[in-house]
Amino acid sequence: MKAIEITQYGAPEVLKLTERPRPELKPGEVLIKVTAAGVNRPDVLQRIGQYPVPPGASDLPGLEVAGEIVEGALDGADNPWGLKIGSRVCALVQGGGYAEYCAAPLAQCLPVPQGLSDVEAASLPETFFTVWSNVFDRARLGLTETGEKETLLVQGGTSGIGVSAIQLGAALGHRVFATAGSDEKARACEALGAERGINYKTEDFVAVTKALTNDRGVDVVLDMVGGDYLPREVQALAFDGRIAIIALLGGSKATLDMGALLRRRLTVTGSTLRPRSVAFKAAIARQLVEKVWPLFAAGKIRPVVYRTFPAEQADKAHALMETSTHVGKIVLTW
């Protein structure tokens, strides 16, 4: 099969088209003939040597794919949706997505949502698994003590994660605020369902969110920045507020007012999805198909694909991602 490999750590040009054997399936896995693969920030980090491959995973980049199941055992509890040979699926994988064929745990394969293309479906798994796990499971976005819908602040609202979090939060009835790097991007966040897009280069997200919530603050922050954003996010939180950290684009160290955490009963949590077990990811998959996939069919949320590239131009896809000019997802096609 054709595949895109990282020939050495470095700039996008280290991504090269190569020939590899098709993956050998492990128990519980199926083989997917890949039509499209999502490009994600962890792929870039892996390319530059800052995101180690988990033991036993493919060294090829790519954490999400869409295509057709062509091989594998499809019996048992890991197949609650009745997938078959020939079924169109999208899947979350530990690696190997930048290839014509990809092995995926059956439990992490989801039927393509009604009405979506494979390119659109390939843009979903990494972001929606991450958003559901962190915003709704870990940070418990739900109802306040008085029964009102809680509020959500999304940092990096035009990233793949950001557009998914904005749409999902808004579709489920929550007030959503989002930061972005320009007025144009802030308006794009609002078009996706954010009540207010905040240009972090010209506005203070703490002051804006406080003003919009009558000085109460937000209940949950989805943070992919870290660094000096964290103490400011603490200031932006309401009592009993939660911060879910999923990336550290702004650095891995921060100084926090621990007294504020104690007085206001705040929670700071973080997680990475890639090394988690198949059973953990399977539980998220079931929640997505039950609670999120119907929102696609109803037109309440939609994939946001900014641009596609032929797989052999993966270097150009990575170069675009590093500019941070995109709104939504970048996808490779075979």
Side-chain angles (χ1 to χ4, degrees):
M1 67 176 185
K2 294 178 181 178
I4 305 298
E5 67 180 0
I6 300 170
T7 55
Q8 64 184 62
Y9 296 139
E13 292 74 24
V14 303
L15 296 171
K16 299 293 185 182
L17 183 67
T18 188
E19 293 278 341
R20 289 281 188 99
R22 291 187 187 183
E24 294 185 6
L25 298 182
K26 301 173 186 175
E29 289 185 337
V30 295
L31 188 66
I32 298 172
K33 187 177 189 301
V34 177
T35 306
V39 177
N40 293 282
R41 189 70 61 172
D43 303 342
V44 173
L45 295 177
Q46 180 177 333
R47 194 200 75 226
I48 62 178
Q50 295 183 6
Y51 199 56
V53 176
S58 171
D59 66 304
L60 298 174
L63 301 176
E64 59 185 350
V65 298
E68 176 185 337
I69 295 177
V70 294
E71 184 182 332
L74 294 155
D75 301 325
D78 287 341
N79 188 11
W81 307 292
L83 300 174
K84 303 174 182 178
I85 300 298
S87 291
R88 292 175 60 231
V89 295
C90 55
L92 182 73
V93 294
Q94 276 198 318
Y98 289 17
E100 289 184 307
Y101 292 87
C102 182
L106 176 59
Q108 294 170 207
C109 295
L110 296 79
V112 172
Q114 179 182 336
L116 299 193
S117 68
D118 284 356
V119 167
E120 292 171 322
S123 74
L124 304 180
E126 172 68 11
T127 54
F128 278 93
F129 271 79
T130 299
V131 169
W132 189 270
S133 176
N134 286 277
V135 174
F136 295 94
D137 285 347
R138 295 188 70 83
R140 308 181 312 281
L141 183 69
L143 300 177
T144 67
E145 289 183 351
T146 58
E148 299 173 335
K149 294 275 189 175
E150 290 187 321
T151 53
L152 170 66
L153 171 63
V154 178
Q155 304 285 23
T158 55
S159 66
I161 294 286
V163 300
S164 301
I166 290 169
Q167 290 192 89
L168 189 50
L172 295 177
H174 299 276
R175 297 178 70 196
V176 181
F177 315 115
T179 62
S182 69
D183 288 344
E184 182 181 8
K185 283 190 169 187
R187 303 295 81 78
C189 291
E190 293 168 359
L192 290 166
E195 180 178 321
R196 176 72 149 80
I198 304 164
N199 182 347
Y200 63 78
K201 294 181 179 179
T202 59
E203 299 179 283
D204 178 2
F205 70 80
V206 178
V208 173
T209 53
K210 285 279 194 177
L212 291 168
T213 57
N214 294 322
D215 206 39
R216 178 179 178 275
V218 297
D219 298 291
V220 172
V221 177
L222 180 61
D223 178 17
M224 55 196 86
V225 182
D228 61 7
Y229 266 48
L230 198 55
R232 296 167 62 200
E233 289 165 349
V234 167
Q235 296 174 31
L237 284 178
F239 272 75
D240 295 303
R242 290 87 68 196
I243 299 171
I245 304 169
I246 60 169
L248 302 170
L249 297 176
S252 62
K253 298 186 183 300
T255 300
L256 292 181
D257 179 355
M258 303 301 289
L261 268 67
L262 294 173
R263 291 190 304 271
R264 294 164 51 213
R265 305 182 298 275
L266 307 181
T267 300
V268 179
T269 184
S271 71
T272 56
L273 186 60
R274 191 177 191 181
R276 299 301 296 265
S277 70
V278 172
F280 178 85
K281 295 171 186 174
I284 302 173
R286 289 191 291 271
Q287 292 182 80
L288 290 177
V289 173
E290 176 187 349
K291 299 175 181 178
V292 179
W293 263 216
L295 299 175
F296 286 106
K300 293 183 178 180
I301 57 177
R302 60 183 175 84
V304 181
V305 176
Y306 181 76
R307 188 172 172 187
T308 64
F309 289 87
E312 59 268 23
Q313 295 180 15
D315 58 333
K316 292 182 172 60
H318 276 224
L320 173 59
M321 173 158 280
E322 290 180 335
T323 68
S324 295
T325 57
H326 58 290
V327 176
K329 293 297 292 283
I330 302 167
V331 177
L332 302 179
T333 59
W334 289 100

